[in-house]
Amino acid sequence: MKVFVITAFLMTISMAPAKSFYVYFGTYTEGENSGKGIYRGSLNLKTGKLSDIVLAAEVNNPSFLQIHPNHCFLYCVSESNGIGSVNSFVVNPKNGNLKPLNQQLSNGSNPCHISIDHTGKNLFVANYTSGSISVIPVKSNGMLAELSCSFRHEGSGINPHRQQKPHAHSINVSPDDRFVFAADLGIDKIMIYKLNSETGTITPNNPPFVKLKSGAGPRHFTFHPSGKFAYVINELDSTITAFKYNAQSGNLTDIQTVKTIPDDYNGSNYPAEICVHPNGKFLYGSNRGHDSIAAYQIDTDTVKLTFIKYEITDIKTPRNFCIDPTGTFCLVANQDSNSIVVFRINAKTGTLEPAGYKISIPKPVCIRIL
């Protein structure tokens, strides 16, 4: 199947307003009540209803997914304690089905996060257990080439159970494809690299990292739509840190840190996902333990956060969540209760309001909307 044929087809159908989006769910495939791989459904953009899901591809522990910028290809990690891998698929535009293309090793153990630069030429993977990151070039036909670059982080943190060594937990590309940011939970740092997108190589920036508070445990990282600010959610101390971003130097400057849980909450909690609304006015973070999605308003001038509300309806161990491209709905993956729940986003207040739709799915850990 030729790439230009798929792209032309997508350009044609995108001329009319979409009525629904394909949605893909990554699952854990080991243990009790586990899934079998990547599942597929569709989201009704008017009602928020999710269709019945079907198995799209059998893969071992596809715990994180990513869609190519041209919407023709999908990628997933295959999380393993040994040498992990990344898998590529071509998306059938008529029905959303996935056809396997190829697989490449991630050069590390337990790959847990991937991203793709905006040119679609390079895929980046974070390997949690080995504390390493890798770059895998993407061919024009969507297939993955052999690894082009890799770095292993060094150091440790103050948490004796979670920070004995580096744990790269996410990897993201700057809006202009000039820098790569790897949040490492084990060493309380966001490592910063310069990217050469043509050669698929990265080199340490100067300075090579930004340090978080000791014991914070940075997990997932995201940019504000303006490209001038960024945020990281910290798993070990239940906080979100806001940064001012210098697009010329790649540097991050800490401007605020807020809690993701109430001051009077005394239970265990491990934040997971962070996402900025497409309109740039709201930010959301998931809490595993408190079992909630925390919503914040973003000041459009300072980009500082003001707490809005916790949403707890039908939420249990929210590993990952995803906002649809129109900013209308938020889909939450409840890992331990084996479900996906849909919320409608109030465009004025930023609050999440139950849409009345919930589907069962085994061990969901990632959601991506095409």
Side-chain angles (χ1 to χ4, degrees):
M1 185 179 293
K2 298 293 186 181
V3 175
F4 69 84
V5 173
I6 302 175
T7 304
F9 178 86
L10 291 173
M11 289 177 64
T12 300
I13 62 174
S14 66
M15 293 176 67
K19 295 182 179 180
S20 65
F21 286 145
Y22 293 129
V23 186
Y24 297 90
F25 307 95
T27 67
Y28 275 133
T29 60
E30 299 173 355
E32 188 178 356
N33 299 320
S34 60
K36 294 184 178 181
I38 302 172
Y39 291 81
R40 172 183 61 79
S42 62
L43 173 69
N44 185 303
L45 292 178
K46 182 177 180 180
T47 65
K49 182 179 180 179
L50 277 171
S51 69
D52 292 336
I53 61 167
V54 297
L55 183 64
E58 289 197 33
V59 189
N60 179 53
N61 288 336
S63 61
F64 203 86
L65 316 176
Q66 198 59 267
I67 296 172
H68 193 282
N70 67 12
H71 299 173
C72 299
F73 311 108
L74 181 144
Y75 303 89
C76 76
V77 300
S78 183
E79 191 170 336
S80 169
N81 282 321
I83 297 297
S85 61
V86 180
N87 299 268
S88 63
F89 304 86
V90 63
V91 179
N92 185 324
K94 294 183 179 180
N95 55 25
N97 288 342
L98 300 178
K99 179 181 178 181
L101 289 175
N102 74 330
Q103 180 185 80
Q104 289 290 355
L105 297 180
S106 67
N107 197 37
S109 53
N110 287 118
C112 60
H113 191 272
I114 51 175
S115 62
I116 304 173
D117 66 17
H118 300 84
T119 69
K121 295 180 179 179
N122 299 286
L123 180 145
F124 309 87
V125 56
N127 298 296
Y128 179 81
T129 301
S130 57
S132 62
I133 60 171
S134 301
V135 185
I136 302 175
V138 179
K139 299 179 181 180
S140 60
N141 62 1
M143 297 180 70
L144 300 169
E146 293 185 359
L147 180 145
S148 60
C149 189
S150 186
F151 280 89
R152 188 177 296 273
H153 298 163
E154 298 180 351
S156 59
I158 64 172
N159 187 309
H161 305 291
R162 299 290 305 279
Q163 296 185 310
Q164 307 96 325
K165 62 179 183 178
H167 290 301
H169 217 314
S170 64
I171 187 163
N172 297 84
V173 188
S174 65
D176 60 4
D177 289 333
R178 296 181 61 233
F179 299 95
V180 172
F181 300 84
D184 195 303
L185 179 146
I187 58 178
D188 292 321
K189 294 177 180 178
I190 299 175
M191 307 302 294
I192 308 173
Y193 298 89
K194 295 180 181 178
L195 169 65
N196 184 324
S197 59
E198 293 302 317
T199 61
T201 56
I202 56 176
T203 54
N205 191 45
N206 183 23
F209 61 83
V210 60
K211 183 77 167 63
L212 278 297
K213 179 183 176 182
S214 293
R219 180 183 169 99
H220 281 192
F221 177 90
T222 189
F223 277 96
H224 188 270
S226 68
K228 298 179 180 179
F229 304 90
Y231 303 88
V232 67
I233 194 162
N234 301 305
E235 180 176 342
L236 302 184
D237 71 355
S238 296
T239 62
I240 292 173
T241 301
F243 300 96
K244 182 178 180 181
Y245 174 58
N246 186 321
Q248 295 303 312
S249 65
N251 294 342
L252 296 169
T253 303
D254 179 351
I255 58 176
Q256 183 194 28
T257 296
V258 298
K259 295 287 289 184
T260 68
I261 51 177
D263 291 336
D264 59 356
Y265 178 76
N266 296 316
S268 61
N269 188 66
Y270 303 98
E273 187 59 274
I274 187 170
C275 187
V276 179
H277 192 278
N279 67 15
K281 297 179 180 180
F282 310 109
L283 178 142
Y284 305 88
S286 63
N287 287 305
R288 297 172 296 172
H290 186 254
D291 290 337
S292 64
I293 301 295
Y296 303 83
Q297 184 171 7
I298 300 175
D299 186 291
T300 54
D301 294 323
T302 67
V303 192
K304 288 187 175 182
L305 304 174
T306 300
F307 175 73
I308 300 174
K309 183 185 177 183
Y310 296 110
E311 180 55 56
I312 61 172
T313 306
D314 285 328
I315 293 179
K316 177 66 175 178
T317 319
R319 172 66 176 264
N320 182 258
F321 64 92
C322 188
I323 297 174
D324 84 81
T326 71
T328 305
F329 296 103
C330 176
L331 282 61
V332 179
N334 294 307
Q335 180 179 339
D336 288 348
S337 58
N338 304 307
S339 66
I340 305 292
V341 61
V342 183
F343 295 91
R344 184 180 292 273
I345 302 174
N346 187 309
K348 294 183 178 180
T349 66
T351 56
L352 302 183
E353 302 165 355
Y357 298 106
K358 181 180 178 181
I359 62 170
S360 297
I361 181 172
K363 287 284 172 38
V365 289
C366 186
I367 304 173
R368 282 294 176 265
I369 300 174
L370 181 62

